[in-house]
Amino acid sequence: MNIPVPVGVSARHVHLNQKDLEALFGIGYELIPYRPLSQPGQFASEETLKIIGPKGQFNKVRVLGPLRKKTQIEISMTDSVVLGIKAPLRESGDLNDTPGIVLSGPKGSVTLDSGVIIAARHIHFHSSEAARYGILDKQDLSVQIEGERGSILHHVVARVSDDYQMELHLDTDEANACGAKNGDSATIIMKR
């Protein structure tokens, strides 16, 4: 099996729900799209927030749209250390037993009891692409990245939906460790 897949590097970011958006930016506020992301309908917004942990903080953390049912903050393991929290490695949306954080915006702040994760590396597949390659949703894949710091990454989660476009998502720690950047190509070499 040798399936080429484009690489997307995901820096720390925030997904907001309606309630938290309005607490941070004001009643009736709507996100302003800054640029589209690779996944259809997804966008980086012009809005940024300060995220504050017990030991450190990051300024100008990008908010991604559209809004979600639950607020979620995605960081790297290095970010977790800087902030002073123990964010677990999780798939997006799996927020049970996750730490919280303080979000600070131009109109207020929100103290979250949960919602901070280190996103598990994953590959988005459109349903038709997954069917073509015989890949199932949540399947465990291995991916090879070439280059000076070439690596093989195991335990890459397949995420299949009609709303997705094929792309490998790595956080900044993973991408830096294997010398990968946006637009590079990786190869799916094994599925389990």
Side-chain angles (χ1 to χ4, degrees):
M1 156 175 288
N2 285 308
I3 303 167
V5 57
V7 174
V9 180
S10 184
R12 70 183 76 96
H13 60 272
V14 176
H15 298 279
L16 293 174
N17 65 19
Q18 184 70 43
K19 176 184 165 200
D20 292 338
L21 172 73
E22 292 188 350
L24 294 161
F25 293 97
I27 301 298
Y29 192 87
E30 294 184 15
L31 292 176
I32 301 167
Y34 171 64
R35 65 176 170 79
L37 299 176
S38 60
Q39 295 307 306
Q42 305 285 314
F43 61 91
S45 74
E46 289 188 8
E47 292 75 17
T48 61
L49 296 168
K50 181 186 294 185
I51 60 174
I52 306 164
K55 292 187 177 178
Q57 64 185 31
F58 292 106
N59 298 317
K60 297 187 178 181
V61 178
R62 186 75 57 191
V63 177
L64 302 186
L67 296 178
R68 295 201 175 174
K69 291 180 183 175
K70 293 183 180 178
T71 293
Q72 173 176 298
I73 298 88
E74 295 181 34
I75 61 174
S76 71
M77 191 170 291
T78 299
D79 293 344
S80 186
V81 172
V82 170
L83 291 167
I85 59 176
K86 288 191 168 203
L89 183 66
R90 295 282 178 84
E91 285 188 53
S92 181
D94 182 1
L95 304 179
N96 291 333
D97 299 317
T98 57
I101 203 160
V102 175
L103 301 176
S104 179
K107 298 289 186 182
S109 64
V110 173
T111 300
L112 300 172
D113 294 328
S114 64
V116 183
I117 65 168
I118 298 168
R121 54 187 169 230
H122 57 279
I123 300 176
H124 289 285
F125 291 91
H126 186 274
S127 303
S128 62
E129 294 166 324
R132 179 175 40 224
Y133 297 123
I135 291 172
L136 305 174
D137 190 41
K138 308 290 186 195
Q139 192 162 14
D140 186 10
L141 307 173
S142 293
V143 175
Q144 183 169 352
I145 297 175
E146 298 293 339
E148 287 184 76
R149 304 192 80 188
S151 304
I152 294 177
L153 303 174
H154 298 292
H155 310 300
V156 180
V157 179
R159 298 187 57 201
V160 179
S161 169
D162 287 341
D163 297 327
Y164 294 155
Q165 175 177 301
M166 190 162 75
E167 186 175 54
L168 167 65
H169 282 183
L170 304 175
D171 70 27
T172 51
D173 283 355
E174 294 170 315
N176 289 336
C178 56
K181 60 187 183 309
N182 281 323
D184 282 356
S185 183
T187 306
I188 302 168
I189 57 172
M190 187 185 332
K191 58 183 180 175
R192 287 180 276 299

